Amino acid sequence: FHEDGFLVLEQFFSAEECESMRTQIQRIVAEMEVPPHCRTTFSTREEEQLQAQGSSDYFLTSGDKIRFFFEKGVLDEKGNFLIPKEKSVSKIGHALHAYDPVFKQITHSPKVQELGRKLGLERPVVVQSMYIFKQPGIGGEVTPHQDATFLHTEPLGRILGFWIALEDATQENGCLWFIPGSHTNGITRRMVRAASGASTCVEFVGSEPAYEDKQFIPLPISKGGLILIHGEVVHKSELNSSESSRHVFTFHVMEAKGTTWSKENWLQPTPELPFPSLYT
């Protein structure tokens, strides 16, 4: 992990644990009600990101809520669904770990806490969580990025992603790709809250360097596997053009000891939901 910036742990969660999360998310989607004007598409392309999430209070205030984001092309201009809603969701975020009993239990499970201790985390707190669907045929690509671009700390190196495959993640359905060792070069781009009165809620400072495809290696992983992701390692995933989905539950932890969470981050703890300790 320290050398590459990521670590693959196969069969970290059982098939039963994976199914419990999938069943729970089906329940949440079935009960999902999102007013048309709040239906934003999720994108990682910078211009689209600023246009969709960046202009939306729905995204900016989702840190302490369970909210829904949709794939490109599944909504008409009025925000109505063009395909069944359960096939249109891109991700659900950002506080499943706090408000849903199943995801809370997984996030704080003894084996996750033990892993945190093995990594030397002294005061880890959970800052956000997401369920990602990567829908068959339309699951959008995630462009090369570093998580610390969006979750910035002083000093850097205090953010850690836990990425749990709830189905086999293959090169065909959009597994993760990494540049090994790229977590040692700092970051060149940040997404920050825009000044009040700006046309978007967030803006980007700096730019992402151009990466070559040959720098990346694929990390296929079986259902139940866990990938640990360093906050500065460069990673991406391709469009899912296959006929099978690639469901994932992922959450981010910050080592809070001696760390300052940037006030410019889009995600902020709230009085209703301060970042909960991982060790509870």
Side-chain angles (χ1 to χ4, degrees), residues 66-279:
I66 295 175
R67 288 195 161 164
F68 304 87
F69 303 90
F70 301 93
E71 290 289 357
K72 274 192 293 197
V74 301
L75 302 167
D76 67 15
E77 61 279 3
K78 292 181 180 160
N80 299 311
F81 291 108
L82 298 169
I83 61 174
K85 66 179 183 180
E86 65 276 7
K87 293 267 195 288
S88 65
V89 187
S90 166
K91 69 170 201 169
I92 298 176
H94 289 91
L96 285 163
H97 64 279
Y99 296 131
D100 182 89
V102 172
F103 293 100
K104 187 175 190 174
Q105 186 180 1
I106 292 289
T107 304
H108 297 278
S109 60
K111 52 192 164 191
V112 168
Q113 296 187 16
E114 184 192 354
L115 187 54
R117 291 192 171 95
K118 280 183 178 167
L119 289 162
L121 300 177
E122 293 185 53
R123 277 180 44 213
V125 295
V126 187
V127 298
Q128 70 156 1
S129 56
M130 292 181 285
Y131 192 103
I132 303 169
F133 292 80
K134 204 77 158 175
Q135 300 281 5
I138 59 167
E141 68 168 329
V142 176
T143 54
H145 69 285
Q146 299 164 291
D147 293 342
T149 285
F150 308 95
L151 308 171
H152 192 265
T153 60
E154 294 281 347
L156 281 173
R158 300 303 173 88
I159 289 291
L160 175 65
F162 290 73
W163 193 94
I164 304 160
L166 305 184
E167 302 177 281
D168 293 349
T170 64
Q171 287 195 45
E172 290 69 44
N173 71 0
C175 71
L176 294 180
W177 294 67
F178 286 83
I179 301 180
S182 56
H183 61 302
T184 58
N185 303 324
I187 61 169
T188 56
R189 183 174 73 125
R190 286 186 60 192
M191 186 170 92
V192 299
R193 288 181 171 239
S196 57
S199 59
T200 58
C201 303
V202 293
E203 61 190 10
F204 283 96
V205 178
S207 60
E208 202 71 48
Y211 302 108
E212 293 180 44
D213 284 345
K214 66 172 192 273
Q215 293 177 269
F216 288 88
I217 61 162
L219 248 60
I221 189 167
S222 303
K223 174 179 175 174
L226 168 70
I227 302 179
L228 285 176
I229 304 174
H230 189 285
E232 283 105 86
V233 74
V234 178
H235 58 292
K236 66 174 183 174
S237 67
E238 304 292 345
L239 176 78
N240 180 6
S241 51
S242 79
E243 292 176 9
S244 57
S245 56
R246 191 222 67 188
H247 285 209
V248 164
F249 177 57
T250 179
F251 58 93
H252 283 91
V253 164
M254 173 180 75
E255 170 59 89
K257 185 181 179 184
T259 308
T260 306
W261 180 256
S262 174
K263 290 269 189 279
E264 294 184 316
N265 285 337
W266 73 268
L267 174 81
Q268 293 295 326
T270 63
E272 296 75 30
L273 183 62
F275 294 152
S277 168
L278 183 68
Y279 299 153

Side-chain angles (χ1 to χ4, degrees), residues 36-48:
H37 70 277
C38 290
R39 292 175 190 163
T40 59
T41 54
F42 183 73
S43 172
T44 60
R45 294 199 170 276
E46 193 165 300
E47 309 75 39
E48 294 172 357

